[in-house]
Amino acid sequence: MGIFDLFGSKEVPLDKMFTLHTEFHPFKLAANHADSVDLEIKLTNNLDKEVLTSVVVQVPKPLGLDKSAFMQQRELRLGALQAHETKDVKVQIYSGQRVQKGTYPVMIYAISHYRDYSYILNEMRKKMELRVV
């Protein structure tokens, strides 16, 4: 029994804090062509208390999160998720003329914050592969 057990604080496993379900629609992008795909994110708070939450999506350089493909990272502030609440978010990922065939990693971060969005309490990561054919 440690000193922190006396005060009732418990460590939360990071994989149990959120449930993160993601899908691409359509499943692939066309190479050397201006195209887009929707990344659908379904985030569920598994804790018994509300949590201030944001989602960050990060893509590599040839892809982009805006039509000009200049922005590679985007933060979506979801606000306070109540206990066991689920929020659905869509993010469009764009390709351009310079995108070659292959697979590109897409990183998704589900972040819980303390008081405001400046302070990070916990973070959960998920890596997906986007196919370009």
Side-chain angles (χ1 to χ4, degrees):
M1 183 165 126
I3 185 80
F4 294 112
D5 293 338
L6 295 174
F7 301 114
S9 67
K10 299 174 186 168
E11 189 172 319
V12 177
L14 291 178
D15 59 342
K16 304 289 187 212
M17 185 170 201
F18 294 115
T19 301
L20 188 62
H21 179 73
T22 56
E23 291 180 353
F24 289 120
H25 291 285
F27 296 112
K28 59 188 175 188
L29 283 172
N32 302 320
H33 187 268
D35 199 4
S36 70
V37 66
D38 287 336
L39 171 61
E40 294 182 0
I41 302 170
K42 185 180 281 191
L43 182 69
T44 304
N45 178 11
N46 293 334
L47 298 179
D48 293 330
K49 61 178 183 174
E50 76 174 10
V51 178
L52 185 64
T53 309
S54 68
V55 173
V56 175
V57 178
Q58 197 172 29
V59 295
K61 188 64 174 164
L63 300 175
L65 296 170
D66 58 343
K67 288 189 178 186
S68 60
F70 285 132
M71 186 171 59
Q72 274 73 41
Q73 183 173 336
R74 183 171 177 201
E75 178 183 16
L76 304 164
R77 295 181 175 181
L78 302 179
L81 253 67
Q82 300 299 322
H84 306 288
E85 181 183 2
T86 301
K87 285 223 178 171
D88 297 325
V89 179
K90 273 189 187 178
V91 178
Q92 284 193 318
I93 300 174
Y94 295 93
S95 67
Q97 298 288 336
R98 292 182 271 154
V99 177
Q100 301 298 318
K101 291 182 181 181
T103 58
Y104 294 90
V106 176
M107 294 296 297
I108 300 141
Y109 302 93
I111 303 170
S112 65
H113 298 274
Y114 177 71
R115 293 192 181 174
D116 65 2
Y117 291 105
S118 302
Y119 304 102
I120 295 176
L121 189 61
N122 281 322
E123 175 182 286
M124 183 178 143
R125 300 176 190 174
K126 183 172 184 178
K127 182 179 180 181
M128 295 185 68
E129 297 287 330
L130 179 60
R131 288 186 333 152
V132 177
V133 293

